């Protein structure tokens, strides 16, 4: 647009210059006319005067033509600049039209986005309602939970605080403890379970032997000896398994293994007597021995009844003997004495069972209906 205005201004200037250059031409023509007119109609001007006038007019005409040629050149240059300015104005107008079209497209996209936002507002409002409903339900549930929390008085709170603050300690009872000295406890329990399992497989008393005239002691030994052999093997096996945890030298380990084998023999005798005399009830009593021993040895919250009952069980002297073997104290012999007493009691129960099984009452002789 600026070039167009500049071209128009230069064209105007060239027009003025052209007009100025035409003035001498017009003046020369006017002088020629005046010279002819001065001669009069039929007059005869002098040749020199007429020639001088014509020469003066020609000189003015030549000067005017030169100025006219220069003005025409300047007008042509101004017209060229005017043409370039018009072309640039047309290009600028085309770019303006393209920008206006892009602005219209952007306005259309903006209107579409506004419409989509308007469509999403109802869903957002629905989600906000659901969130508010969920928060209300959570508040109601928390309020209900707070109401259900127990309330303690001062004494109860003090008691709970003492229980929570009391450190956990190992359970100890007599010579048993839950810790490094728990090996005798678990060894005794393992040997007792082994003896119990033996009489789940073997017969305590042979029915065929009961019908013979053999002595009761021999019949009892027939059921006890295989279990005693298995008890010795179990004692050696338990000693071998416990050897890494014991950390004993060879001499003390053999002492421990010997006492474990003796424990296996004593436990076999006790379980033999219980099963031979009481059958299934004897097996149940044998399981009670395991439960009481473990509860008294490792459960710190067990009732005092278990601690009071443990010294009267066959596992108590076994634990004492094995602990004495580890410590190298005289408790080994004291525990071994207790094991011998329990073994004698078990064999006595087996003898009683043989005597009872050999007695046949009248009801057994009657044929089954």
């Amino acid at each position: 647009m600026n070039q167009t205005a500049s071209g128009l201004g230069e064209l105007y200037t060239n027009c003025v210059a052209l007009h100025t250059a035409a003035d001498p031409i017009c003046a020369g023509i006017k002088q020629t006319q005046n010279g002819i007119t001065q001669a009069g109609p039929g007059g005869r001007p002098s040749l020199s005067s007429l020639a001088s006038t014509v020469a003066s007019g020609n000189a003015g005409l030549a000067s005017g033509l030169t100025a006219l040629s220069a003005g025409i050149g300047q007008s042509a240059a101004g017209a060229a600049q005017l043409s370039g300015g018009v072309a640039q104005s047309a290009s600028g107008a085309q770019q303006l039209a393209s920008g206006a079209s892009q602005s219209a497209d952007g306005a259309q996209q903006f209107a579409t986005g506004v419409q989509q936002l308007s469509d999403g507002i109802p869903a957002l409002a629905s989600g906000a309602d659901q969130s508010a409903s969920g928060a209300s339900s959570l508040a109601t549930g928390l309020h209900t939970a707070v109401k259900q929390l127990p309330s303690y008085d001062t004494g109860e709170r003090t008691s709970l605080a003492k229980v929570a603050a009391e450190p956990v300690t190992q359970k100890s009872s007599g010579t048993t403890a839950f810790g490094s000295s728990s090996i005798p406890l678990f060894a005794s329990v393992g040997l007792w379970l082994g003896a119990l399992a033996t009489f789940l497989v073997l017969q305590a008393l042979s029915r065929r032997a009961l019908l013979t005239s053999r002595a009761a002691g021999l019949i009892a030994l027939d059921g006890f000896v295989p279990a005693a052999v298995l008890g010795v093997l179990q004692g050696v096996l338990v000693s071998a398994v416990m050897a890494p945890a014991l950390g004993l030298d060879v001499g003390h380990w053999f002492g421990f293994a010997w006492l474990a084998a003796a424990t296996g023999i004593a436990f076999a005798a006790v379980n033999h007597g219980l099963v031979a005399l009481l059958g299934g009830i004897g097996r149940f009593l044998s399981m009670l021995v395991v439960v009481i021993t473990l509860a008294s040895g490792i459960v710190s919250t067990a009732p005092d009844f278990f601690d009071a009952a443990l010294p009267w069980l066959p596992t108590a002297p076994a634990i004492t003997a094995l602990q004495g073997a580890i410590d190298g104290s005289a408790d080994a012999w004291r525990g071994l004495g207790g094991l011998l007493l329990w073994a004698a009691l078990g064999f006595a129960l087996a003898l009683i069972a043989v005597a009872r099984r050999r007695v046949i009452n009248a009801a057994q002789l009657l044929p089954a209906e």
Side-chain angles (χ1 to χ4, degrees):
M1 295 298 290
N2 291 332
Q3 291 183 358
T4 302
S6 177
L8 290 175
E10 188 171 356
L11 182 61
Y12 172 77
T13 302
N14 293 334
C15 289
V16 173
L18 183 61
H19 180 269
T20 303
D23 287 341
I25 299 174
C26 294
I29 295 172
K30 185 66 177 176
Q31 288 179 1
T32 304
Q33 181 185 3
N34 291 333
I36 296 173
T37 303
Q38 289 176 1
R44 296 179 181 267
S46 64
L47 182 59
S48 60
S49 177
L50 180 61
S52 177
T53 302
V54 171
S56 177
N58 287 336
L61 178 61
S63 178
L65 288 174
T66 301
L68 178 62
S69 176
I72 290 173
Q74 292 178 356
S75 297
Q81 291 183 356
L82 176 62
S83 176
V86 170
Q88 290 182 356
S89 297
S91 177
Q94 184 177 2
Q95 293 178 358
L96 180 61
S98 177
S101 177
Q102 292 179 357
S103 299
D105 293 340
Q108 180 63 32
Q109 292 178 359
F110 177 73
T112 303
V114 171
Q115 181 63 35
Q116 292 177 353
L117 177 62
S118 176
D119 294 339
I121 288 177
L124 179 62
S126 176
D129 290 340
Q130 293 179 358
S131 177
S133 177
S136 177
S137 300
L138 177 62
T140 302
L142 291 175
H143 184 67
T144 304
V146 170
K147 288 184 177 180
Q148 293 178 353
L149 290 176
S151 178
Y152 301 103
D153 55 22
T154 304
E156 291 174 340
R157 288 195 297 271
T158 303
S159 177
L160 289 174
K162 289 181 179 179
V163 172
E166 184 177 357
V168 178
T169 58
Q170 66 178 16
K171 173 64 184 287
S172 61
S173 176
T175 59
T176 65
F178 187 70
S180 60
S181 60
S182 63
I183 294 176
L185 170 67
F186 293 115
S188 300
V189 171
L191 291 172
W192 183 265
L193 289 174
L196 175 61
T198 298
F199 288 102
L200 292 175
V201 179
L202 302 179
Q203 279 187 339
L205 297 176
S206 173
R207 294 181 181 179
R208 182 177 298 179
L210 290 173
L211 297 177
T212 64
S213 59
R214 295 180 65 189
L218 295 177
I219 296 175
L221 284 175
D222 289 340
F224 168 67
V225 171
V229 173
L230 291 176
V232 172
L233 295 177
Q234 291 170 1
V236 174
L237 179 62
V238 168
S239 300
V241 172
M242 296 292 184
L246 288 171
L248 300 176
D249 55 28
V250 177
H252 284 84
W253 181 85
F254 274 107
F256 183 88
W258 180 79
L259 285 175
T263 301
I265 295 173
F267 286 174
V270 176
N271 278 275
H272 177 235
L274 289 175
V275 174
L277 183 62
L278 301 176
I281 297 176
R283 295 186 179 91
F284 174 75
L285 293 176
S286 182
M287 285 300 301
L288 283 181
V289 172
V290 175
V291 172
I292 294 174
T293 302
L294 289 176
S296 178
I298 64 176
V299 181
S300 60
T301 57
D304 294 338
F305 163 76
F306 292 94
D307 291 338
L310 179 61
W312 302 95
L313 299 179
T315 51
I319 294 172
T320 302
L322 295 176
Q323 186 65 49
I326 295 174
D327 298 338
S329 64
D331 289 340
W333 298 104
R334 184 165 60 88
L336 181 60
L339 289 174
L340 291 175
L341 290 177
W342 276 104
L345 177 61
F347 193 74
L349 292 177
L351 292 176
I352 295 172
V354 171
R356 289 187 57 183
R357 295 284 293 274
R358 280 184 164 180
V359 176
I360 300 176
N361 54 34
Q364 293 176 336
L365 296 175
L366 293 176
E369 298 180 356

